[in-house]
Amino acid sequence: MKRFEASGVLLIKVTAAAVSYIFVLLLARMMAPADFGIVGALLTGSLLLSVTGILGQRTALLRFIPPMRKLRGDDAAQTRNMINRAFTLGLIGMMALTVVLAGALLLADSIGLRAVPWPVMAGLALIPLVGWIDMQAHLARAWRSVVLALVPKEILWRAFVLAGAGAVYWWGGGADLALGTVVALMIGVLVVLIMGQGALMGRTMPRPKLDPATLRDTPEDWRRTVVPFWINGVASMFLTNADVVIVALVLGGEPAAYYFAANRVAMLCHFFMMSHNIVVGPQVAAAWHAGERDKVQTMVRRATVQAFVPTVILAVLLAAFAPQVLALFGSGFEDATDILYLLVLSASVNAALGPAMLVLDMCGHEKLSMLINSVSVILGIPALVVGAFYFGSNGAAIMVLTLGIGIKFASFRSLRRITGIKSTIF
């Protein structure tokens, strides 16, 4: 990968991590713990559910667009049809899931199973909105326009929401922010950013159009990837998001607030690998399908080593000062110290074993990664529920670590056996 491109992504991700940390820290201080826990569940839940509804079309853009551009050019009809097909199917899936969830929540509220406050119902709008800006980001990544891909959602969204929340908090004399206020800010800012990002992208790449006709006559290589990419996309978000949602459902808002804080701090350890994956993914797809196997091996090993070293350094620092870091969120948050230990260890294991699952997807072995991911989700959901129910928040974190080790071990062994590519630091 080009040094400037990789370092530019890293700089953006560092900035995004700082903004995300400040966002969570200050929001925790401006809201009641129970409401903050619900916001955490909405943030993580909307990301996980949007990926569920998007039906694998984020990955499809990364898998198919770079080779199409390399072989046929930017303006080829196949390229435009692929973009329209991905966005159309993704939006249909997300809207259908949102409607189903809204109906389920209304039913639960009507029969007295669980009271659903209106901000939670309104928060369901985040599912298609988060999914759409994520699709735009993946299209920009396929065009190797990382600034447009990353800055709107990962930096500007949180920064603008925090600025608005801070203004309301100051105007209200320091009273706790209402849950509905924060949800409205998240939705409103996201709509504006989607429009702005889309307008800027339209200057350099095809603008996506919702065209159901593209779903009727589809290439075989695209059809066979829909289910694998869908399952793989859901599973990729599972361990970093489902645990927060499950803790909120099983243990309630306040424990979820503490767990969410530890989860967000630990996510800092993931951004080194994620930064390299953003660059490596499209490049691996283009190189592999052009027959450049040695180039793929070099890119993957370099990305793994360059991500692992800073991940471990940061993990050690966070573990050493875990109580002090968590105390910044407010009184009681230091109770999540053990959770943070477990989650940063999980991130270190993830970095050591490399981006094997991504490489499997980009090299045309999405069915194998689908098998691994399917097992992880089938086992992971009940494992997290049982862990949280019987052992509290620490139990959920232990399950995250255990599942993470199993998934990464299976994926890197499979990658080496099938392709001969080694993704680990060993």
Side-chain angles (χ1 to χ4, degrees):
M1 73 183 77
K2 295 180 180 179
R3 182 176 300 177
F4 175 77
E5 187 176 13
S7 60
V9 172
L10 183 59
L11 178 61
I12 293 172
K13 293 297 287 185
V14 169
T15 304
V19 171
S20 179
Y21 180 77
I22 294 170
F23 171 80
V24 173
L25 190 153
L26 293 182
L27 207 60
R29 289 184 168 274
M30 291 188 288
M31 301 184 71
D35 284 346
F36 175 69
I38 293 175
V39 168
L42 283 174
L43 284 170
T44 53
S46 62
L47 180 58
L48 180 60
L49 292 169
S50 68
V51 172
T52 302
I54 222 163
L55 300 176
Q57 296 311 293
R58 303 183 320 158
T59 310
L61 290 171
L62 297 181
R63 162 64 180 83
F64 292 109
I65 296 301
M68 283 182 178
R69 294 182 65 204
K70 189 170 185 176
L71 296 174
R72 298 190 175 105
D74 293 352
D75 293 324
Q78 295 94 328
T79 304
R80 292 180 177 274
N81 286 340
M82 176 65 228
I83 293 170
N84 295 342
R85 184 183 303 119
F87 275 82
T88 301
L89 183 60
L91 184 62
I92 290 173
M94 289 186 294
M95 292 303 298
L97 179 60
T98 302
V99 170
V100 170
L101 287 172
L105 288 178
L106 287 172
L107 178 63
D109 187 82
S110 66
I111 64 177
L113 183 62
R114 177 176 287 273
V116 181
W118 72 263
V120 174
M121 290 295 300
L124 292 179
L126 289 170
I127 296 173
L129 292 175
V130 167
W132 188 266
I133 199 170
D134 213 13
M135 286 285 287
Q136 290 188 163
H138 278 69
L139 177 57
R141 282 177 58 186
W143 238 261
R144 297 183 66 171
S145 181
V146 294
V147 174
L148 272 176
L150 300 178
V151 170
K153 179 186 172 185
E154 299 202 18
I155 297 178
L156 297 182
W157 185 29
R158 290 174 176 83
F160 289 163
V161 170
L162 184 60
V168 174
Y169 184 76
W170 176 81
W171 186 265
D176 286 345
L177 288 175
L179 177 61
T181 300
V182 177
V183 171
L185 283 170
M186 291 194 296
I187 293 173
V189 171
L190 197 53
V191 169
V192 173
L193 289 176
I194 287 172
M195 296 172 63
Q197 183 189 44
L200 290 174
M201 289 172 60
R203 298 179 179 180
T204 57
M205 61 195 79
R207 297 195 68 168
K209 298 179 181 178
L210 299 179
D211 185 3
T214 59
L215 301 178
R216 291 195 290 268
D217 184 18
T218 58
E220 171 60 27
D221 57 350
W222 177 81
R223 286 200 304 272
R224 66 178 174 81
T225 65
V226 172
V227 173
F229 283 166
W230 171 51
I231 293 176
N232 295 342
V234 173
S236 70
M237 296 294 175
F238 179 74
L239 287 179
T240 53
N241 293 280
D243 52 340
V244 177
V245 178
I246 287 174
V247 168
L249 291 174
V250 175
L251 302 177
E254 189 165 344
Y258 301 149
Y259 191 98
F260 179 63
N263 177 280
R264 294 301 97 175
V265 172
M267 282 297 294
L268 296 173
C269 295
H270 287 277
F271 82 87
F272 297 104
M273 178 60 73
M274 289 174 5
S275 299
H276 286 281
N277 287 354
I278 286 169
V279 177
V280 167
Q283 292 183 352
V284 166
W288 180 265
H289 295 283
E292 301 170 339
R293 179 173 300 206
D294 291 341
K295 185 178 180 180
V296 172
Q297 175 64 85
T298 300
M299 287 190 295
V300 172
R301 287 297 302 278
R302 183 185 297 128
T304 301
V305 173
Q306 291 177 350
F308 175 73
V309 174
T311 297
V312 170
I313 293 173
L314 181 58
V316 170
L317 290 173
L318 289 177
F321 298 99
Q324 293 86 348
V325 171
L326 290 168
L328 295 174
F329 288 88
S331 176
F333 281 87
E334 62 272 14
D335 291 345
T337 296
D338 290 341
I339 299 170
L340 183 56
Y341 290 155
L342 293 164
L343 295 181
V344 297
L345 178 59
S346 178
S348 300
V349 172
N350 176 70
L353 298 181
M357 199 72 74
L358 172 68
V359 179
L360 283 171
D361 281 345
M362 295 298 103
C363 293
H365 297 287
E366 62 278 344
K367 288 187 177 179
L368 179 56
S369 58
M370 177 185 69
L371 176 61
I372 298 170
N373 283 321
S374 298
V375 173
S376 73
V377 173
I378 291 170
L379 296 178
I381 293 177
L384 286 168
V385 172
V386 169
F389 186 81
Y390 287 102
F391 303 103
S393 298
N394 287 357
I398 291 171
M399 292 303 176
V400 169
L401 174 61
T402 304
L403 290 165
I405 292 174
I407 294 167
K408 296 297 290 189
F409 182 79
S411 62
F412 96 79
R413 285 294 299 271
S414 298
L415 178 66
R416 181 144 190 203
R417 177 174 57 86
I418 298 297
T419 68
I421 295 173
K422 186 177 180 181
S423 67
T424 70
I425 61 169
F426 308 110

